[in-house]
Amino acid sequence: MTAPPLPPATTGRRRDTAVTRLVHLLLTRLTLVVAGSLTSVIVARALGPGDRGAYWVIVTIAATATALGNLSVEKSQTTLWGEESSRPAVTANALWLGLAVGAAAAGTAFAAVLLCGVGVAPTAGRSSLIWGLAAVPVMMAIVYVNNVHVLRARTGVVNRGSLAGAALQCSALASLGLLGRLTVEWVVIIWTVSAAVNLLLLLPSLPVCRPRDPRSVRHTLSCGLRYHPGSVCHFLLLRLDILILNAMSTPTAVGIYSMAVTPAELLRAMTDAVAQIALPRQMESSRETSVAYTARTIRITAVLAASSIVLLYAAGPFLVTAAAGPAFTGCVTPMLVLAPGVAAAAAARPAAAYLLRLNLPVLISLMYGAALLVNLTLNILLIPRMGVTGCALASTIAYTALAATQVGWFARSARVPLRRLSPGGAEVREIVHRLRGLVRVG
């Protein structure tokens, strides 16, 4: 039985609020895309492929420490949010738990890099690595606090923090670039400080700032740990290729690949905005409403992902080489090879969110683990033969296989025919309508 409908006036207000939030989030995502593109161009121009590769390895190590050490608390938060009695504790523990878990992850990552030696350690030096790992507790707290704000439908707070951090990073990089003082270490320092500014702007709007009792912390961690193997595999699926390429090739190859990854991953900006807005409805609604809402969101993200690919294929090669310079000409082919896989993963994100409702962490972990194994195997086989392009092809195959599995699992568990997930004219008209609203607001 479906939930009773809201009164017309309430439904209208909810729809207007959702549309307004979506327009604001899309504007924020577009701004972040522009800022991210400018940042990539500034770093590429100032450092060149080799030093950009060293910087990207440091960022990847810090991001890996964040992903491996976060214990999937954000998934635990999302799962527990369905229990209204758990929401105050989830909110109260977000900041402090993020900082504590992040500090432990950063220390572990530093020790691991020293033990692994040259194959993993960046060429930029230990001080740059320390600055990069200093961002881990900050990023961990951002992940937890952001998730609470999203679950409370306070995306405006998340938007303001992200925009402020991006503005600081872009302006600081541009200033040092103009002065000729930009080095790998300065790029890493600016990245870390920008993350800290982002976090600070999230805190005044956090409804509860004092941590709750240790029992709620243990409950959150135990719930998250059930999903953590899958989260680790998912993250490694997205980032392990950088570390494999660094071990099997040169920093210049990593720099080329990082430049290919950046515009391809910007494809997700629009789909991520839609998925973020949809998340509270997917988690808080009845099963029937959640299924219908997830299917509709998949159709919309599929249209956005397909449109983004067309745009990237049409303009990407010219824009990337014109902006980054001739030293990065080799990134065009990997970028075009990687784009379909990234778009498939972006389109399937609403299905991945719905699967958390099924409370099957072991099966979810096996799904991500299988995709990681495919990616790892293909990278080892293809990098020696095809170089950077082989790395991109391995990732595209693994991403696409994972996306197909997620959508197929959703369709089967929700008893939704696959044809209902195919977008049509209604989704295109809705997107055009929303974009017109975005232009009017702009």
Side-chain angles (χ1 to χ4, degrees), residues 18 58 100 106 118 150 220 274 281 287 310-312 360 366 391 395:
I58 292 173
V118 179
V150 170
T220 301
V274 174
R281 290 283 297 275
R287 180 186 177 279
V310 171
L311 183 61
L312 181 68
L360 296 171
L366 289 174
C391 188
S395 296

Side-chain angles (χ1 to χ4, degrees), residues 138 142 161-162 164-170 172-173 187-200:
V138 178
I142 289 174
S162 300
L168 174 61
Q169 183 182 25
C170 198
L173 289 173
V187 174
V188 176
I189 290 172
I190 291 169
W191 177 66
T192 300
V193 173
S194 300
V197 170
N198 186 347
L199 177 61
L200 289 175

Side-chain angles (χ1 to χ4, degrees), residues 144-204:
Y144 296 175
V145 174
N146 268 355
N147 198 48
V148 169
H149 284 309
V150 170
L151 290 169
R152 295 177 63 88
R154 298 173 64 91
T155 52
V157 177
V158 177
N159 294 343
R160 288 191 291 273
S162 300
L163 288 173
L168 174 61
Q169 183 182 25
C170 198
S171 59
L173 289 173
S175 299
L176 285 179
L178 290 173
L179 295 173
R181 299 284 300 276
L182 206 55
T183 62
V184 172
E185 184 164 348
W186 270 114
V187 174
V188 176
I189 290 172
I190 291 169
W191 177 66
T192 300
V193 173
S194 300
V197 170
N198 186 347
L199 177 61
L200 289 175
L201 290 177
L202 296 174
L203 300 184

Side-chain angles (χ1 to χ4, degrees), residues 13 161 196 270 282 340:
R13 285 195 297 270
M270 302 289 278
Q282 288 181 284

Side-chain angles (χ1 to χ4, degrees), residues 38-225:
L38 288 174
T39 298
S40 296
V41 169
I42 292 169
V43 173
R45 290 279 188 177
L47 300 184
D51 282 346
R52 179 183 166 85
Y55 156 68
W56 200 254
V57 169
I58 292 173
V59 169
T60 301
I61 290 172
T64 301
T66 304
L68 299 187
N70 73 2
L71 307 180
S72 296
V73 167
E74 77 282 5
K75 284 186 170 56
S76 173
Q77 291 172 326
T78 302
T79 302
L80 295 174
W81 201 257
E83 306 170 9
E84 193 166 353
S85 60
S86 299
R87 294 178 188 177
V90 168
T91 303
N93 294 329
L95 172 64
W96 312 106
L97 194 57
L99 293 174
V101 173
T108 303
F110 184 72
V113 170
L114 294 183
L115 289 174
C116 288
V118 179
V120 173
T123 58
R126 185 173 297 182
S127 61
S128 298
L129 177 63
I130 291 172
W131 273 108
L133 291 177
V136 173
V138 178
M139 293 192 299
M140 197 84 77
I142 289 174
V143 170
Y144 296 175
V145 174
N146 268 355
N147 198 48
V148 169
H149 284 309
V150 170
L151 290 169
R152 295 177 63 88
R154 298 173 64 91
T155 52
V157 177
V158 177
N159 294 343
R160 288 191 291 273
S162 300
L163 288 173
L168 174 61
Q169 183 182 25
C170 198
S171 59
L173 289 173
S175 299
L176 285 179
L178 290 173
L179 295 173
R181 299 284 300 276
L182 206 55
T183 62
V184 172
E185 184 164 348
W186 270 114
V187 174
V188 176
I189 290 172
I190 291 169
W191 177 66
T192 300
V193 173
S194 300
V197 170
N198 186 347
L199 177 61
L200 289 175
L201 290 177
L202 296 174
L203 300 184
S205 300
L206 200 64
V208 183
C209 291
R210 287 187 294 180
R212 292 296 179 99
D213 62 277
R215 287 178 299 176
S216 65
V217 174
R218 287 196 297 270
H219 184 40
T220 301
L221 292 175
S222 64
C223 182
L225 282 172

